[in-house]
Amino acid sequence: MRNFIFVLVILISFNSCKSSKRPKVVTKKSKVEQRDTPKTSETSNPKIKNISTSSQIIEYSKQFLGTRYKWGGTTKKGMDCSGLVHESFKAYQIYLPRISRDIAKKGKKITLRETLKGDLLFFKTGKNRRNFINHVGLVVEIKNNAIYFIHATTSKGVIISSLNETYWKSAFTEVRRVLE
């Protein structure tokens, strides 16, 4: 009986791991309108702040600060860089691919000067600076000519770093806007 229950639990676990391929809903609002328009609460509670989608995604991602790195991870038990981005956007019904090099094919490529909170930074990391994007971070703040982004590192887990740091500046590849 225990073996049957164990097999049943394993089968249910595998079944819940399949990815969801829901289409992204596109609205007619301009980029600036959509970014700056606060999301209204379902309730009329004045204590709940109205904040933009990008700010909500950023706040959601910050709950993972300090989470250890786990390749393929998407929970507070362990998280990788693309898992952090994937889960943070998914929480607000924006469905991105699960792998950073696939995420880098979404949205619009922009210049660093155009970067806003909620944009994604892409990197080619490693000793040999591989020929493909293998790291992603979510821009959480821009101040004093510095871009700060949240991401998951193998050594420190989920942290906020600056693009001005030598390592990240040299590994930087591109920035993309997925929020219209």
Coordinates of all heavy atoms in Angstrom, one line a residue, residues 32-117:
V32 N 3.9 54.0 -22.7 CA 4.0 54.9 -21.5 C 2.7 54.8 -20.7 O 2.8 54.7 -19.5 CB 4.2 56.3 -22.0 CG1 4.1 57.3 -20.9 CG2 5.6 56.4 -22.7
E33 N 1.6 54.7 -21.3 CA 0.3 54.6 -20.6 C 0.3 53.4 -19.8 O -0.1 53.4 -18.6 CB -0.9 54.6 -21.6 CG -1.3 55.9 -22.2 CD -2.5 55.7 -23.1 OE1 -2.4 54.8 -24.0 OE2 -3.5 56.3 -22.9
Q34 N 0.7 52.2 -20.4 CA 0.6 51.0 -19.7 C 1.5 50.9 -18.5 O 1.2 50.4 -17.4 CB 0.8 49.8 -20.6 CG 0.4 48.5 -20.1 CD 0.4 47.4 -21.1 OE1 1.2 47.5 -22.0 NE2 -0.4 46.4 -20.9
R35 N 2.7 51.5 -18.7 CA 3.7 51.5 -17.6 C 3.3 52.3 -16.5 O 3.6 52.0 -15.3 CB 5.1 52.0 -18.2 CG 5.8 50.9 -18.8 CD 7.0 50.7 -17.9 NE 7.6 49.4 -18.1 CZ 8.9 49.4 -18.4 NH1 9.6 50.4 -18.7 NH2 9.5 48.2 -18.4
D36 N 2.7 53.5 -16.8 CA 2.4 54.5 -15.8 C 1.0 54.4 -15.2 O 0.8 55.0 -14.2 CB 2.6 55.9 -16.3 CG 4.1 56.2 -16.7 OD1 5.0 55.5 -16.1 OD2 4.3 57.0 -17.5
T37 N 0.2 53.6 -15.8 CA -1.2 53.4 -15.3 C -1.2 52.5 -14.1 O -0.7 51.3 -14.2 CB -2.1 52.9 -16.4 OG1 -2.1 53.7 -17.5 CG2 -3.5 52.8 -15.8
P38 N -1.6 52.9 -12.9 CA -1.6 52.0 -11.8 C -2.7 51.0 -11.9 O -3.7 51.2 -12.6 CB -1.9 53.0 -10.6 CG -2.0 54.3 -11.1 CD -2.0 54.3 -12.6
K39 N -2.4 49.8 -11.4 CA -3.4 48.7 -11.3 C -4.3 49.0 -10.2 O -3.9 49.2 -9.0 CB -2.7 47.4 -11.1 CG -1.8 47.0 -12.3 CD -2.7 46.7 -13.5 CE -1.8 46.3 -14.7 NZ -2.5 46.1 -15.9
T40 N -5.6 49.0 -10.4 CA -6.5 49.3 -9.3 C -6.8 48.0 -8.6 O -6.9 46.9 -9.2 CB -7.8 49.9 -9.9 OG1 -8.4 49.1 -10.8 CG2 -7.6 51.3 -10.4
S41 N -7.1 48.1 -7.4 CA -7.4 47.0 -6.5 C -8.8 46.5 -6.8 O -9.7 47.3 -7.1 CB -7.3 47.4 -5.0 OG -7.8 46.5 -4.2
E42 N -9.1 45.2 -6.5 CA -10.4 44.7 -6.6 C -11.3 45.2 -5.5 O -12.5 45.2 -5.6 CB -10.3 43.1 -6.6 CG -9.6 42.5 -7.7 CD -10.4 42.6 -9.0 OE1 -11.6 42.5 -9.0 OE2 -9.8 42.7 -10.1
T43 N -10.7 45.6 -4.4 CA -11.4 46.1 -3.3 C -11.4 47.6 -3.3 O -10.6 48.2 -4.0 CB -10.8 45.5 -2.0 OG1 -9.5 46.1 -1.8 CG2 -10.7 44.0 -2.0
S44 N -12.2 48.2 -2.4 CA -12.1 49.7 -2.3 C -11.3 50.1 -1.1 O -11.5 51.2 -0.6 CB -13.5 50.2 -2.2 OG -14.2 49.6 -1.1
N45 N -10.4 49.2 -0.6 CA -9.6 49.5 0.5 C -8.6 50.5 0.2 O -7.7 50.3 -0.6 CB -8.9 48.2 1.0 CG -8.1 48.4 2.3 OD1 -7.9 49.5 2.7 ND2 -7.8 47.2 2.9
P46 N -8.6 51.7 0.8 CA -7.7 52.8 0.5 C -6.3 52.5 1.0 O -5.3 53.2 0.6 CB -8.3 54.0 1.3 CG -9.1 53.4 2.4 CD -9.6 52.1 1.8
K47 N -6.1 51.5 1.9 CA -4.8 51.2 2.4 C -3.9 50.4 1.3 O -2.7 50.4 1.5 CB -4.9 50.3 3.7 CG -5.5 51.1 4.8 CD -5.5 50.2 6.0 CE -6.2 50.9 7.2 NZ -6.3 50.1 8.4
I48 N -4.6 49.9 0.3 CA -3.9 49.1 -0.7 C -3.4 50.1 -1.7 O -4.1 50.9 -2.3 CB -4.8 48.0 -1.4 CG1 -5.2 47.0 -0.3 CG2 -4.0 47.4 -2.5 CD1 -6.2 46.0 -0.8
K49 N -2.1 50.1 -2.0 CA -1.5 51.1 -3.0 C -1.8 50.6 -4.4 O -1.8 49.4 -4.7 CB 0.0 51.1 -2.8 CG 0.5 51.7 -1.5 CD 2.0 51.8 -1.5 CE 2.5 52.4 -0.3 NZ 4.0 52.4 -0.2
N50 N -2.0 51.6 -5.2 CA -2.2 51.4 -6.7 C -0.8 51.5 -7.3 O -0.2 52.6 -7.3 CB -3.1 52.4 -7.3 CG -4.5 52.2 -6.8 OD1 -4.9 51.0 -6.5 ND2 -5.3 53.2 -6.7
I51 N -0.2 50.5 -7.8 CA 1.1 50.6 -8.4 C 1.1 49.9 -9.8 O 0.2 49.1 -10.1 CB 2.2 49.9 -7.6 CG1 1.8 48.5 -7.2 CG2 2.4 50.7 -6.3 CD1 2.9 47.7 -6.5
S52 N 2.0 50.3 -10.7 CA 2.1 49.8 -12.0 C 2.5 48.4 -12.1 O 3.0 47.8 -11.1 CB 3.1 50.6 -12.8 OG 4.4 50.4 -12.3
T53 N 2.2 47.7 -13.2 CA 2.6 46.3 -13.4 C 4.1 46.1 -13.1 O 4.4 45.1 -12.5 CB 2.2 45.9 -14.8 OG1 0.8 46.1 -15.0 CG2 2.5 44.4 -15.0
S54 N 4.9 47.0 -13.7 CA 6.4 46.8 -13.5 C 6.7 46.8 -12.0 O 7.5 46.0 -11.6 CB 7.2 47.8 -14.3 OG 6.9 49.1 -13.9
S55 N 6.1 47.7 -11.3 CA 6.4 47.8 -9.9 C 5.9 46.6 -9.1 O 6.6 46.1 -8.2 CB 5.8 49.1 -9.3 OG 6.4 50.2 -9.8
Q56 N 4.8 46.1 -9.5 CA 4.2 44.9 -8.9 C 5.1 43.7 -9.1 O 5.4 42.9 -8.2 CB 2.8 44.6 -9.4 CG 1.8 45.6 -8.9 CD 0.4 45.3 -9.5 OE1 0.3 44.9 -10.6 NE2 -0.6 45.6 -8.7
I57 N 5.6 43.6 -10.4 CA 6.5 42.5 -10.7 C 7.8 42.6 -9.9 O 8.3 41.6 -9.4 CB 6.8 42.4 -12.2 CG1 5.5 42.0 -13.0 CG2 7.9 41.5 -12.6 CD1 5.5 42.2 -14.5
I58 N 8.3 43.8 -9.8 CA 9.6 44.0 -9.0 C 9.3 43.6 -7.6 O 10.2 42.9 -7.0 CB 10.0 45.5 -9.2 CG1 10.5 45.7 -10.6 CG2 11.1 45.8 -8.2 CD1 10.7 47.1 -11.0
E59 N 8.3 44.1 -7.0 CA 8.0 43.8 -5.6 C 7.8 42.3 -5.4 O 8.3 41.7 -4.4 CB 6.8 44.6 -5.1 CG 7.0 46.0 -4.9 CD 8.2 46.3 -4.0 OE1 8.3 45.8 -2.9 OE2 9.1 47.1 -4.5
Y60 N 7.2 41.6 -6.3 CA 7.0 40.2 -6.2 C 8.4 39.5 -6.2 O 8.6 38.6 -5.5 CB 6.1 39.7 -7.4 CG 5.8 38.2 -7.3 CD1 4.7 37.7 -6.6 CD2 6.6 37.3 -7.9 CE1 4.5 36.4 -6.5 CE2 6.4 35.9 -7.9 CZ 5.3 35.5 -7.1 OH 5.0 34.1 -7.0
S61 N 9.2 39.9 -7.1 CA 10.5 39.3 -7.3 C 11.4 39.5 -6.0 O 12.2 38.6 -5.7 CB 11.3 39.8 -8.5 OG 11.7 41.2 -8.3
K62 N 11.2 40.6 -5.3 CA 12.0 40.8 -4.1 C 11.7 39.9 -3.0 O 12.5 39.7 -2.0 CB 11.8 42.3 -3.6 CG 12.5 43.3 -4.6 CD 12.3 44.7 -4.1 CE 13.0 45.7 -4.9 NZ 12.8 47.1 -4.4
Q63 N 10.6 39.2 -3.0 CA 10.3 38.2 -2.0 C 11.3 37.0 -2.0 O 11.4 36.3 -1.0 CB 8.9 37.7 -2.1 CG 8.7 36.7 -3.2 CD 7.3 36.1 -3.3 OE1 6.8 35.6 -2.3 NE2 6.7 36.2 -4.4
F64 N 12.0 36.9 -3.1 CA 12.9 35.8 -3.3 C 14.4 36.2 -2.8 O 15.3 35.4 -2.9 CB 12.9 35.3 -4.7 CG 11.6 34.7 -5.1 CD1 10.8 35.3 -5.9 CD2 11.3 33.4 -4.6 CE1 9.5 34.8 -6.3 CE2 10.0 32.8 -5.0 CZ 9.2 33.5 -5.8
L65 N 14.6 37.5 -2.5 CA 15.9 37.9 -2.0 C 16.4 37.0 -0.9 O 15.7 36.7 0.0 CB 15.9 39.3 -1.5 CG 15.9 40.4 -2.6 CD1 15.6 41.8 -2.0 CD2 17.2 40.4 -3.4
G66 N 17.7 36.5 -1.1 CA 18.3 35.6 -0.1 C 18.0 34.1 -0.4 O 18.6 33.3 0.2
T67 N 17.1 33.8 -1.4 CA 16.9 32.5 -1.7 C 18.1 31.8 -2.3 O 18.8 32.5 -3.2 CB 15.7 32.4 -2.7 OG1 14.5 32.9 -2.1 CG2 15.4 30.9 -3.2
R68 N 18.4 30.6 -2.0 CA 19.6 30.0 -2.5 C 19.5 29.7 -4.0 O 18.4 29.5 -4.5 CB 20.0 28.7 -1.7 CG 19.0 27.6 -1.9 CD 19.5 26.3 -1.1 NE 18.6 25.2 -1.4 CZ 18.7 24.4 -2.4 NH1 19.8 24.5 -3.3 NH2 17.9 23.4 -2.6
Y69 N 20.6 29.5 -4.6 CA 20.6 29.2 -6.1 C 20.3 27.7 -6.2 O 20.8 26.8 -5.5 CB 21.9 29.5 -6.7 CG 21.9 29.1 -8.2 CD1 21.5 30.1 -9.1 CD2 22.3 27.9 -8.6 CE1 21.4 29.8 -10.5 CE2 22.3 27.6 -10.0 CZ 21.9 28.5 -10.9 OH 21.8 28.2 -12.2
K70 N 19.4 27.4 -7.1 CA 19.2 26.0 -7.5 C 18.9 26.0 -9.0 O 17.9 26.6 -9.5 CB 18.0 25.4 -6.7 CG 17.7 24.0 -7.1 CD 16.5 23.4 -6.4 CE 16.3 21.9 -6.8 NZ 15.0 21.4 -6.3
W71 N 19.7 25.2 -9.7 CA 19.5 25.1 -11.2 C 18.1 24.6 -11.5 O 17.7 23.6 -10.9 CB 20.6 24.2 -11.8 CG 20.5 24.2 -13.3 CD1 21.0 25.2 -14.1 CD2 19.9 23.3 -14.1 NE1 20.8 24.8 -15.4 CE2 20.0 23.7 -15.5 CE3 19.1 22.1 -13.9 CZ2 19.5 22.9 -16.5 CZ3 18.6 21.4 -14.9 CH2 18.8 21.8 -16.2
G72 N 17.3 25.3 -12.3 CA 16.0 24.9 -12.6 C 14.9 25.2 -11.5 O 13.8 24.9 -11.7
G73 N 15.4 25.9 -10.5 CA 14.5 26.2 -9.4 C 13.5 27.3 -9.6 O 13.9 28.3 -10.3
T74 N 12.3 27.3 -9.0 CA 11.3 28.3 -9.2 C 10.6 28.6 -7.9 O 9.5 29.3 -8.0 CB 10.3 27.9 -10.3 OG1 9.7 26.7 -9.9 CG2 10.9 27.8 -11.7
T75 N 11.1 28.2 -6.8 CA 10.5 28.5 -5.5 C 11.4 29.0 -4.5 O 12.6 29.2 -4.8 CB 9.9 27.1 -4.9 OG1 11.0 26.3 -4.6 CG2 9.0 26.4 -5.9
K76 N 10.9 29.4 -3.3 CA 11.8 29.9 -2.2 C 12.8 28.9 -1.7 O 13.7 29.2 -1.0 CB 10.9 30.4 -1.1 CG 10.3 31.8 -1.4 CD 9.7 32.4 -0.2 CE 9.1 33.8 -0.5 NZ 8.7 34.5 0.6
K77 N 12.6 27.6 -2.1 CA 13.5 26.6 -1.7 C 14.8 26.6 -2.6 O 15.8 26.1 -2.2 CB 12.9 25.2 -1.8 CG 11.8 25.0 -0.7 CD 11.3 23.6 -0.8 CE 10.3 23.3 0.3 NZ 9.7 22.0 0.2
G78 N 14.7 27.2 -3.7 CA 15.8 27.3 -4.7 C 15.3 27.9 -6.0 O 14.2 27.7 -6.4
M79 N 16.2 28.8 -6.5 CA 15.8 29.6 -7.7 C 17.0 29.8 -8.6 O 18.1 30.0 -8.1 CB 15.3 31.0 -7.1 CG 14.8 31.9 -8.1 SD 13.2 31.6 -8.8 CE 12.1 31.7 -7.4
D80 N 16.8 29.8 -9.9 CA 17.8 30.2 -10.8 C 17.4 31.5 -11.5 O 16.3 32.0 -11.2 CB 18.2 29.1 -11.8 CG 17.1 28.8 -12.8 OD1 16.1 29.5 -12.9 OD2 17.3 27.8 -13.6
C81 N 18.2 32.1 -12.3 CA 18.0 33.5 -12.8 C 16.7 33.5 -13.7 O 15.9 34.4 -13.5 CB 19.2 34.0 -13.5 SG 19.6 33.1 -15.0
S82 N 16.6 32.6 -14.6 CA 15.4 32.6 -15.5 C 14.2 32.2 -14.7 O 13.1 32.6 -15.0 CB 15.6 31.7 -16.7 OG 15.9 30.4 -16.3
G83 N 14.3 31.3 -13.7 CA 13.2 30.9 -12.9 C 12.6 32.2 -12.1 O 11.4 32.3 -12.0
L84 N 13.5 33.0 -11.6 CA 13.1 34.2 -10.9 C 12.3 35.1 -11.9 O 11.2 35.6 -11.5 CB 14.3 35.0 -10.4 CG 14.1 36.3 -9.8 CD1 13.2 36.2 -8.5 CD2 15.4 37.0 -9.5
V85 N 12.8 35.4 -13.1 CA 12.1 36.2 -14.0 C 10.8 35.6 -14.5 O 9.7 36.2 -14.5 CB 13.0 36.5 -15.2 CG1 12.3 37.2 -16.4 CG2 14.2 37.4 -14.8
H86 N 10.9 34.3 -14.8 CA 9.7 33.6 -15.3 C 8.5 33.6 -14.2 O 7.4 34.0 -14.6 CB 10.1 32.1 -15.6 CG 8.9 31.2 -15.9 ND1 8.4 31.2 -17.2 CD2 8.2 30.4 -15.2 CE1 7.4 30.3 -17.2 NE2 7.2 29.8 -16.0
E87 N 8.8 33.3 -13.0 CA 7.8 33.3 -11.9 C 7.3 34.7 -11.6 O 6.1 34.9 -11.3 CB 8.4 32.6 -10.7 CG 8.6 31.1 -10.9 CD 7.3 30.4 -11.2 OE1 6.3 30.6 -10.5 OE2 7.4 29.5 -12.1
S88 N 8.2 35.7 -11.6 CA 7.8 37.1 -11.3 C 6.8 37.6 -12.3 O 5.8 38.3 -12.0 CB 9.0 38.0 -11.2 OG 9.8 37.5 -10.1
F89 N 7.1 37.4 -13.6 CA 6.1 37.8 -14.6 C 4.9 37.0 -14.7 O 3.8 37.5 -14.8 CB 6.8 37.8 -16.0 CG 7.7 39.1 -16.2 CD1 9.0 39.1 -15.7 CD2 7.2 40.1 -17.0 CE1 9.8 40.3 -15.9 CE2 8.0 41.2 -17.2 CZ 9.3 41.3 -16.6
K90 N 5.0 35.7 -14.5 CA 3.9 34.8 -14.5 C 2.8 35.2 -13.4 O 1.6 35.0 -13.6 CB 4.3 33.3 -14.3 CG 3.2 32.3 -14.4 CD 3.8 30.9 -14.3 CE 3.5 30.3 -13.0 NZ 3.9 28.9 -12.8
A91 N 3.3 35.7 -12.3 CA 2.4 36.1 -11.2 C 1.4 37.2 -11.6 O 0.4 37.3 -11.0 CB 3.2 36.5 -10.0
Y92 N 1.8 37.9 -12.7 CA 0.9 38.9 -13.2 C 0.4 38.6 -14.7 O 0.2 39.5 -15.5 CB 1.6 40.3 -13.2 CG 1.8 40.6 -11.7 CD1 3.0 40.3 -11.0 CD2 0.8 41.2 -11.0 CE1 3.1 40.5 -9.7 CE2 0.9 41.5 -9.6 CZ 2.1 41.1 -9.0 OH 2.2 41.3 -7.6
Q93 N 0.3 37.3 -14.9 CA -0.2 36.8 -16.2 C 0.5 37.2 -17.4 O 0.0 37.4 -18.5 CB -1.7 37.1 -16.3 CG -2.7 36.4 -15.4 CD -2.6 37.0 -14.0 OE1 -2.6 38.2 -13.8 NE2 -2.5 36.1 -13.0
I94 N 1.9 37.3 -17.3 CA 2.7 37.6 -18.4 C 3.6 36.4 -18.5 O 4.4 36.1 -17.6 CB 3.6 38.9 -18.2 CG1 2.6 40.1 -18.1 CG2 4.5 39.0 -19.4 CD1 3.3 41.3 -17.7
Y95 N 3.5 35.6 -19.6 CA 4.1 34.3 -19.7 C 5.3 34.4 -20.6 O 5.2 34.6 -21.8 CB 3.1 33.3 -20.2 CG 1.9 33.2 -19.2 CD1 0.7 33.9 -19.5 CD2 2.0 32.4 -18.0 CE1 -0.3 33.9 -18.6 CE2 1.0 32.4 -17.1 CZ -0.2 33.1 -17.4 OH -1.2 33.1 -16.5
L96 N 6.5 34.2 -20.0 CA 7.7 34.2 -20.7 C 8.3 32.8 -20.7 O 8.0 32.0 -19.8 CB 8.7 35.1 -19.9 CG 8.4 36.6 -19.9 CD1 9.4 37.4 -19.1 CD2 8.3 37.2 -21.3
P97 N 9.2 32.5 -21.6 CA 9.9 31.2 -21.7 C 10.6 31.0 -20.4 O 10.9 31.9 -19.6 CB 10.8 31.3 -22.9 CG 10.3 32.4 -23.7 CD 9.6 33.3 -22.8
R98 N 11.0 29.7 -20.1 CA 11.7 29.4 -18.9 C 13.2 29.5 -19.0 O 13.9 29.5 -17.9 CB 11.3 27.9 -18.6 CG 11.8 27.3 -17.3 CD 11.5 28.1 -16.1 NE 12.2 27.6 -14.9 CZ 13.4 27.9 -14.6 NH1 14.1 28.7 -15.4 NH2 14.0 27.4 -13.6
I99 N 13.8 29.6 -20.1 CA 15.2 29.7 -20.3 C 15.7 31.1 -20.7 O 15.0 31.7 -21.6 CB 15.7 28.6 -21.4 CG1 15.3 27.2 -20.9 CG2 17.2 28.7 -21.6 CD1 15.4 26.2 -22.0
S100 N 16.8 31.6 -20.1 CA 17.2 33.0 -20.4 C 17.4 33.3 -21.9 O 17.0 34.3 -22.3 CB 18.4 33.4 -19.5 OG 19.4 32.4 -19.6
R101 N 18.0 32.4 -22.6 CA 18.3 32.7 -24.0 C 17.0 32.7 -24.8 O 16.9 33.4 -25.8 CB 19.3 31.7 -24.6 CG 18.8 30.3 -24.8 CD 19.9 29.4 -25.4 NE 19.6 28.0 -25.3 CZ 20.1 27.2 -24.4 NH1 20.9 27.7 -23.5 NH2 19.7 25.9 -24.4
D102 N 16.0 32.0 -24.4 CA 14.7 32.1 -25.0 C 13.9 33.3 -24.6 O 13.2 33.9 -25.4 CB 13.8 30.8 -24.7 CG 14.4 29.6 -25.3 OD1 15.2 29.7 -26.3 OD2 14.1 28.5 -24.8
I103 N 14.0 33.7 -23.4 CA 13.4 35.0 -22.9 C 14.0 36.2 -23.7 O 13.3 37.1 -24.1 CB 13.7 35.2 -21.4 CG1 13.0 34.1 -20.6 CG2 13.1 36.6 -21.0 CD1 13.4 34.2 -19.1
A104 N 15.3 36.1 -24.1 CA 16.0 37.1 -24.8 C 15.4 37.3 -26.2 O 15.8 38.3 -26.9 CB 17.5 36.9 -24.9
K105 N 14.6 36.4 -26.7 CA 13.9 36.5 -28.0 C 12.6 37.3 -27.9 O 12.0 37.5 -28.9 CB 13.7 35.2 -28.6 CG 15.0 34.4 -28.9 CD 14.8 33.0 -29.3 CE 16.1 32.2 -29.4 NZ 15.9 30.8 -29.6
K106 N 12.2 37.6 -26.7 CA 10.9 38.2 -26.5 C 11.0 39.7 -26.3 O 12.1 40.2 -25.9 CB 10.2 37.6 -25.2 CG 9.9 36.2 -25.3 CD 9.0 35.8 -26.5 CE 8.7 34.4 -26.6 NZ 8.0 34.0 -27.8
G107 N 10.0 40.4 -26.5 CA 10.0 41.9 -26.3 C 10.8 42.6 -27.4 O 11.0 42.1 -28.5
K108 N 11.2 43.8 -27.0 CA 11.9 44.7 -27.9 C 13.2 45.1 -27.4 O 13.4 45.5 -26.2 CB 11.1 46.0 -28.1 CG 11.7 47.1 -28.9 CD 10.9 48.3 -28.9 CE 11.6 49.4 -29.6 NZ 10.9 50.7 -29.5
K109 N 14.3 44.9 -28.2 CA 15.6 45.3 -27.8 C 15.7 46.8 -27.8 O 15.2 47.5 -28.7 CB 16.6 44.7 -28.8 CG 18.1 44.9 -28.4 CD 19.0 44.2 -29.4 CE 20.4 44.3 -29.0 NZ 21.3 43.6 -29.9
I110 N 16.2 47.3 -26.7 CA 16.4 48.8 -26.5 C 17.8 49.1 -26.0 O 18.6 48.2 -25.7 CB 15.4 49.3 -25.4 CG1 15.6 48.6 -24.1 CG2 13.9 49.1 -25.9 CD1 14.8 49.2 -22.9
T111 N 18.1 50.4 -26.0 CA 19.5 50.8 -25.6 C 19.5 51.0 -24.0 O 18.4 51.1 -23.4 CB 19.9 52.1 -26.2 OG1 19.0 53.2 -25.7 CG2 19.8 52.1 -27.7
L112 N 20.7 51.0 -23.5 CA 20.8 51.2 -22.0 C 20.2 52.5 -21.6 O 19.6 52.6 -20.5 CB 22.2 51.1 -21.6 CG 22.7 49.7 -21.2 CD1 24.2 49.8 -20.9 CD2 22.0 49.1 -20.0
R113 N 20.3 53.5 -22.4 CA 19.8 54.9 -22.1 C 18.2 54.8 -22.0 O 17.7 55.7 -21.3 CB 20.2 55.9 -23.2 CG 21.6 56.4 -22.9 CD 22.0 57.4 -24.0 NE 22.5 56.6 -25.1 CZ 22.2 56.8 -26.4 NH1 21.5 57.8 -26.8 NH2 22.8 56.1 -27.3
E114 N 17.6 53.9 -22.7 CA 16.1 53.8 -22.7 C 15.6 52.9 -21.5 O 14.4 52.8 -21.3 CB 15.6 53.2 -24.0 CG 15.9 54.0 -25.2 CD 15.6 53.3 -26.5 OE1 16.2 52.3 -26.8 OE2 14.6 53.7 -27.1
T115 N 16.5 52.3 -20.8 CA 16.1 51.3 -19.8 C 15.2 51.9 -18.7 O 15.5 53.0 -18.2 CB 17.4 50.7 -19.1 OG1 18.2 50.1 -20.2 CG2 17.0 49.6 -18.1
L116 N 14.2 51.2 -18.4 CA 13.3 51.5 -17.3 C 13.1 50.4 -16.3 O 13.5 49.2 -16.6 CB 11.9 51.8 -17.9 CG 11.7 53.0 -18.8 CD1 10.4 53.0 -19.4 CD2 12.1 54.3 -18.1
K117 N 12.6 50.6 -15.1 CA 12.3 49.6 -14.2 C 11.4 48.6 -14.9 O 10.4 48.9 -15.6 CB 11.6 50.1 -12.9 CG 12.6 50.9 -12.1 CD 11.9 51.7 -10.9 CE 10.7 51.2 -10.4 NZ 10.2 51.9 -9.1

